[in-house]
Amino acid sequence: MDCLFCKIIDGDIPSTKVYEDEIVFAFKDIAPIAPVHYLIIPKAHISGADQVTEENSGLIAKVFEAAAKIAKNEGIESFRIINNCGDDAGQTVKHIHFHMLAGVKMGWGPESLGKTE
Ligand code: 5GP
Ligand code: ZN
């Protein structure tokens, strides 16, 4: 399967790993939008949040367990997890991934959706 993040997990494309276990892989985003910007992914290929089922949702729980471990390891007290699903939401890589953002005071509101009015 021609998937960028599967290749990163396999080591065929280099990345800066921040966490790995049997189920989950996490690495630095190549174009960070915050001082801390990691991508946390299940190793199993799930194309997006719209493909989460009763059978595979345990993998997503493991993603959140990993986020908590990473935060603890790195002394991160406050962080935001974002998942983009589908083109309009800005999903560019079709292997489910969770952006972990930290290290800056973050705003919240219509501006975060790119709305101007
Ligand atoms: P999306 O827009 O799909 O929610 O997020 C995809 C993310 O993957 C983007 O933030 C982008 O910067 C990151 N990304 C794309 N290609 C690579 C790559 O080759 N290596 C790494 N580390 N991140 C990548
Ligand atoms: Zn994949």
Side-chain angles (χ1 to χ4, degrees), residues 3 6 45 95:
C3 170
C6 282
H45 182 92
H95 181 132

Side-chain angles (χ1 to χ4, degrees), residues 1 3-7 9 43-46 94-95:
M1 190 194 315
C3 170
L4 177 67
F5 287 174
C6 282
K7 287 177 186 161
I9 292 162
K43 288 182 173 175
H45 182 92
I46 300 170
K94 302 301 197 254
H95 181 132

Side-chain angles (χ1 to χ4, degrees), residues 15-74:
S15 70
T16 306
K17 181 170 80 175
V18 296
Y19 177 84
E20 182 174 15
D21 62 31
E22 276 184 17
I23 308 286
V24 173
F25 193 84
F27 54 104
K28 290 188 177 178
D29 195 293
I30 204 168
I33 62 164
V36 172
H37 187 170
Y38 302 151
L39 297 172
I40 312 178
I41 63 181
K43 288 182 173 175
H45 182 92
I46 300 170
S47 60
D50 56 350
Q51 300 301 317
V52 175
T53 64
E54 218 175 317
E55 283 71 40
N56 65 20
S57 60
L59 304 176
I60 308 305
K62 289 289 178 188
V63 163
F64 280 82
E65 280 184 40
K69 282 183 193 165
I70 292 166
K72 199 171 179 196
N73 289 345
E74 303 194 11

Side-chain angles (χ1 to χ4, degrees), residues 33-37 76-82 99-109 111-112:
I33 62 164
V36 172
H37 187 170
I76 296 169
E77 287 182 4
S78 185
F79 60 89
R80 179 173 292 174
I81 303 270
I82 295 175
H99 299 260
M100 180 174 183
L101 304 174
V104 66
K105 181 110 178 138
M106 289 172 255
W108 180 252
E111 320 81 66
S112 67

